[in-house]
Amino acid sequence: IWSSMAASRYYPLTLTNFWLQRHLWGLNTLPYHLVNIAFHAINGVLVFLVLRRLRLRAAWWAALLWAVHPVNVESAAWVTETKNTQSGLFFFLALLCFLQFESAESPRQHASWSWYVLSLLCGAAAMLSKPSTVVLPFVLLLCAWWERGRLRPKDIARVIPFFVMALAMSLWAISEQQHHVRATGPEEWSLGIAERLIVAGRAVWFYAAKVLWPANLIFVYPRWDLKASSIVDWLPLVGAVGVGTMLWRQRRQSWAKACLFGFGFFLIALLPVLGFFDIYYFRYSFVADHFQYLASLGLIALAASGIPWVLGRWRMSPERAGNAVGLGLALTLGVLTWRQARMYSDIETLFRRTIQQNPNCSMAHNNLGMILYRAGKMPEAISQFEQALRVGPGNFDAANNLGSILSDLGRSQEAMVCFEKALLINPHYAPAHSNLGKALSDAGKMTEAMEHLKQALWINPYDANAHNNMGNVLFAMGNIKEAIGHYQAALRIKPGYAEAHNNLGVALKQSGKPEEAIRQFEEALRIKPDSAEAQRNWGHALEQMGKVPEAIGHYRQTLRINPDYAAAHNDLGNALLHEGDVQGALEHYEQALRIKPDSVDVQNNLAWALATVPPPQGGDPGRAVRVAERVCTLTDNKVAPYLDTLATAYAATGRFNDATATAQKAVELARAAGQPQMASEIETHLQLYRSGRPYRQIIGVASPHDP
């Protein structure tokens, strides 16, 4: 959290908060919401204290209106935006401590530098909670100007340490967006100088309008089309500059000074999100409600303090009439906030409502697609991803996610096209490199798969999925040691990664460490109790240790989880045959073939059992020959173990000449394939056939074809 970019965004204090909550109440969402709401409520109190310290009229009403305003629903209801509410808490504390420090400077009081140090610490905490609070030193100067009407040299000197912190965090945030979040390059969020100025002008008026008239608030607003050649597009910026110039010229008037202070705070707090710096979110929209969590206070405080002044000009009682107006506004905003919060009742509602208000929002279509995918609604999910790509051809997330679903459905060629499309849009998109690498490895193209997985890990060394996929490729290529290293890397990044625990267990088992492998399978099942793969692999490890009865228990548990798991039926058949339960073994082989009729491995095991078990105990040499011949025909008579089974079946029916010829060919194939142990075993069988004797299964001894 503090020393790396494992989370892509550097919010160490906010992530520490989440880390602590995760240890306190796990993934129960209610406490996270309560903490976020508590932060927002405390911020409302701090706003009141700051405004009262600045001697703004109607400070209480301003704080209340800000706290219940609908533009803040997104920050208070969306737990991810705890970074807003938490950074806001430290931001307002820093302001309050700095103002307290300045108030202790009068000749009658001893300057309390402890308040200054506290302000610095709170400022640092705000920036470590969310980098956009780097505007703090500008706000401190604005407050100094508000109190004295001018800035003294010592005002500037006192803010220098804040500027140093802000500069460091700003440079870090810019680098983060460019090199970790990848908000750079020729993609749609990169803007020229003219477009940035147009965005800034439009955003200022957009946010002001949403504060003063909070209607049609959307989770993701439509992205503006910008034309630097259009005079109309420049009008908002010209208007903003004109208003600012007029107010500055009238700054000696109390009303103008108040407007400058309110608008000044509003503009300063918006600076990081006005388009002057690349932000990844600009791919989808240039504005968002949560961007003005702090900024909205400037206009709300100005409006709240202006109401008594206007009422006084109309010769009405500022206090009574102001309270009535304030109460009416608070109730109205409260109702609007209650209605807006309903959109955040659950994630599917949020994105369906967003699509309803902004049909061309490709991000909402993509995210709704992921929700439907996790709910098992594949056709609807695919439709949403396709819609995301229609309205946003540059949405590489949607292309990658659609590829993932098609891959799960076995449509690997279509999946690879989607991954390639994602990479064509964004060559630096690590998940697509990782997924394409996995798809290529599934297709047996290991060298190409390796290249894409290397690229994924070069872009993002903290991609646990890429490490897991790289481990799978290395394992398939026989490089078990390096595969183990990548599985372990995946688990360091994502300790609760059940698939990586399972894969690491398989690699350890292959390395001759079944006890260590079993610990990994146990952990995989603790995380994902319904993992049939982990149960099956646990059984394999136990068989490797000679604990066949225990292995049988795990195979049975595997089939309770997934009754249609053909490979597990085959494993259970092998184990039961080893233990002498011939009938049970044959039943599970038959069940495996009902599920997967074209499995040559299962057919071979069935033929082996029928050929090596005496007929009184369930053997059937005639059927064994028929099944074994079919297996060898399907494999062009080029697989040594299958020819060995056929030879054994021939011998069981008394066809020893055929058995001898077939076994001899099997020996030659085994030697040519570099399998001396298998060749030696088949030669042992061959000696029996030459002497006119069949091979019989010895109960308690593993078949030469067992895994």
Side-chain angles (χ1 to χ4, degrees):
I1 289 175
W2 286 87
S3 61
S4 75
M5 289 297 297
S8 293
R9 311 292 176 88
Y10 193 67
Y11 304 130
L13 202 56
T14 301
L15 293 177
T16 299
N17 170 13
F18 285 143
W19 175 86
L20 179 61
Q21 291 194 66
R22 176 67 174 82
H23 282 76
L24 289 174
W25 33 73
L27 295 178
N28 178 17
T29 57
L30 179 61
Y32 291 88
H33 283 291
L34 295 178
V35 168
N36 203 25
I37 292 169
F39 277 151
H40 183 61
I42 294 169
N43 288 345
V45 175
L46 292 174
V47 164
F48 164 68
L49 295 175
V50 169
L51 296 181
R52 186 179 66 172
R53 174 61 189 76
L54 292 170
R55 298 183 297 281
L56 263 69
R57 301 178 70 178
W60 169 249
W61 284 116
L64 179 60
L65 295 178
W66 177 82
V68 300
H69 201 288
V71 298
N72 289 331
V73 167
E74 191 171 299
S75 295
W78 186 13
V79 170
T80 299
E81 288 308 310
T82 295
K83 58 181 179 285
N84 258 359
T85 56
Q86 179 175 308
S87 64
L89 182 144
F90 290 116
F91 183 89
F92 294 127
L93 279 174
L95 275 177
L96 197 60
C97 291
F98 193 86
L99 294 172
Q100 184 64 31
F101 160 70
E102 289 211 323
S103 70
E105 262 202 305
S106 68
R108 296 186 300 275
Q109 294 179 336
H110 176 70
S112 178
W113 284 90
S114 59
W115 288 111
Y116 182 82
V117 173
L118 278 174
S119 180
L120 268 176
L121 292 174
C122 289
M127 295 175 200
L128 291 170
S129 297
K130 189 177 182 182
S132 62
T133 53
V134 293
V135 298
L136 176 61
F138 294 103
V139 173
L140 294 176
L141 290 177
L142 182 66
C143 291
W145 172 82
W146 167 255
E147 294 212 289
R148 288 179 286 278
R150 62 187 179 88
L151 290 178
R152 303 169 302 180
K154 70 177 182 178
D155 292 327
I156 297 173
R158 287 171 176 171
V159 176
I160 286 176
F162 292 90
F163 271 113
V164 172
M165 289 193 305
L167 178 62
M169 183 55 74
S170 297
L171 292 174
W172 181 264
I174 292 170
S175 173
E176 168 194 276
Q177 288 289 326
Q178 290 181 346
H179 301 296
H180 294 278
V181 188
R182 297 282 177 182
T184 186
E187 292 84 359
E188 64 265 41
W189 61 81
S190 292
L191 307 172
I193 294 175
E195 286 83 4
R196 294 178 191 277
L197 291 172
I198 291 172
V199 167
R202 290 186 66 171
V204 166
W205 293 109
F206 174 89
Y207 287 123
K210 292 301 179 184
V211 171
L212 300 176
W213 190 259
N216 298 318
L217 301 180
I218 307 176
F219 183 60
V220 183
Y221 292 96
R223 193 176 190 272
W224 302 325
D225 291 325
L226 306 173
K227 295 180 181 178
S229 59
S230 171
I231 295 176
V232 174
D233 279 7
W234 288 93
L235 291 180
L237 179 64
V238 173
V241 172
V243 170
T245 302
M246 183 270 292
L247 290 175
W248 181 253
R249 288 180 176 176
Q250 300 292 322
R251 65 186 179 279
R252 298 191 185 280
Q253 302 290 327
S254 60
W255 65 270
K257 183 181 178 183
C259 288
L260 272 175
F261 182 68
F263 277 118
F265 181 91
F266 178 68
L267 290 173
I268 288 170
L270 284 176
L271 273 177
V273 293
L274 287 181
F276 298 117
F277 309 100
D278 286 326
I279 297 175
Y280 191 82
Y281 183 80
F282 286 172
R283 285 184 59 206
Y284 309 108
S285 177
F286 292 116
V287 289
D289 289 343
H290 67 277
F291 284 169
Q292 66 163 329
Y293 181 72
L294 297 178
S296 61
L297 175 60
L299 296 186
I300 292 171
L302 176 61
S305 60
I307 290 172
W309 181 82
V310 171
L311 293 174
R313 301 278 289 184
W314 289 350
R315 298 185 179 181
M316 299 173 66
S317 169
E319 185 175 345
R320 290 185 179 180
N323 286 339
V325 172
L327 180 60
L329 285 174
L331 290 173
T332 301
L333 292 175
V335 171
L336 291 174
T337 289
W338 175 76
R339 292 178 57 189
Q340 181 69 9
R342 292 166 64 186
M343 185 167 76
Y344 294 84
S345 60
D346 63 78
I347 190 94
E348 185 172 346
T349 298
L350 176 63
F351 288 116
R352 288 195 183 278
R353 178 72 179 276
T354 301
I355 291 169
Q356 182 183 352
Q357 296 175 295
N358 181 9
N360 291 328
C361 181
S362 64
M363 183 182 78
H365 284 292
N366 174 66
N367 290 352
L368 179 57
M370 287 304 298
I371 294 162
L372 294 168
Y373 166 65
R374 289 168 186 149
K377 301 175 181 178
M378 296 298 185
E380 293 178 65
I382 289 173
S383 175
Q384 288 299 325
F385 291 133
E386 290 173 341
Q387 183 66 13
L389 289 169
R390 276 194 292 271
V391 300
N395 193 329
F396 47 80
D397 294 302
N400 179 63
N401 291 334
L402 178 56
S404 297
I405 288 187
L406 293 172
S407 180
D408 288 347
L409 294 174
R411 295 157 64 178
S412 57
Q413 291 302 318
E414 295 174 73
M416 281 194 269
V417 170
C418 289
F419 297 141
E420 287 167 352
K421 181 175 183 178
L423 292 172
L424 188 63
I425 300 168
N426 181 4
H428 300 293
Y429 190 42
H433 278 293
S434 178
N435 287 333
L436 181 54
K438 182 179 185 299
L440 288 166
S441 69
D442 291 343
K445 300 177 181 179
M446 297 301 174
T447 304
E448 294 176 57
M450 182 78 74
E451 289 305 312
H452 281 284
L453 291 168
K454 284 180 180 178
Q455 185 71 5
L457 291 171
W458 178 80
I459 295 167
N460 181 11
Y462 302 103
D463 187 336
N465 291 332
H467 277 291
N468 182 63
N469 291 339
M470 178 67 89
N472 290 341
V473 170
L474 290 166
F475 182 87
M477 296 174 71
N479 195 336
I480 309 299
K481 185 176 180 180
E482 283 191 47
I484 288 173
H486 280 282
Y487 294 139
Q488 290 172 335
L491 291 170
R492 281 194 296 272
I493 297 165
K494 187 179 176 181
Y497 195 173
E499 185 181 346
H501 277 293
N502 178 65
N503 291 340
L504 176 57
V506 172
L508 290 168
K509 179 178 72 69
Q510 191 72 12
S511 300
K513 302 175 181 178
E515 295 88 350
E516 293 181 44
I518 286 173
R519 287 197 288 271
Q520 295 300 322
F521 300 138
E522 283 179 316
E523 186 63 17
L525 286 165
R526 186 190 66 78
I527 298 165
K528 190 178 178 182
D530 61 346
S531 174
E533 280 294 327
Q535 282 286 0
R536 180 190 176 215
N537 290 328
W538 193 341
H540 287 171
L542 289 167
E543 275 203 85
Q544 186 176 348
M545 297 168 67
K547 300 179 180 180
V548 179
E550 293 179 48
I552 289 172
H554 284 278
Y555 294 143
R556 293 192 187 281
Q557 181 61 28
T558 302
L559 292 170
R560 278 193 283 272
I561 297 170
N562 182 4
D564 295 327
Y565 197 167
H569 280 289
N570 182 53
D571 292 335
L572 182 53
N574 290 339
L576 290 172
L577 186 63
H578 180 279
E579 292 298 290
D581 185 354
V582 177
Q583 192 58 42
L586 294 175
E587 287 176 3
H588 281 284
Y589 290 142
E590 299 284 7
Q591 182 66 14
L593 288 172
R594 279 193 290 271
I595 298 166
K596 197 173 181 180
D598 59 345
S599 173
V600 290
D601 283 333
V602 179
Q603 291 181 70
N604 181 66
N605 288 338
L606 174 61
W608 179 265
L610 293 170
T612 59
V613 173
Q617 297 177 22
D620 187 343
R623 187 186 175 198
V625 169
R626 294 192 297 273
V627 174
E629 285 179 337
R630 183 166 61 248
V631 170
C632 290
T633 300
L634 290 171
T635 55
D636 296 326
N637 294 302
K638 292 181 179 179
V639 180
Y642 300 162
L643 287 172
D644 182 32
T645 300
L646 178 57
T648 304
Y650 283 147
T653 60
R655 296 167 59 181
F656 293 108
N657 289 335
D658 291 335
T660 300
T662 304
Q664 185 62 52
K665 185 175 180 180
V667 170
E668 293 169 2
L669 286 172
R671 286 173 178 164
Q675 299 172 315
Q677 184 177 352
M678 179 171 292
S680 176
E681 290 173 351
I682 299 174
E683 282 184 329
T684 302
H685 304 159
L686 180 58
Q687 296 304 318
L688 290 173
Y689 310 149
R690 284 172 175 165
S691 63
R693 291 179 295 163
Y695 174 85
R696 294 299 184 193
Q697 175 81 15
I698 302 174
I699 303 304
V701 177
S703 160
H705 309 313
D706 280 353

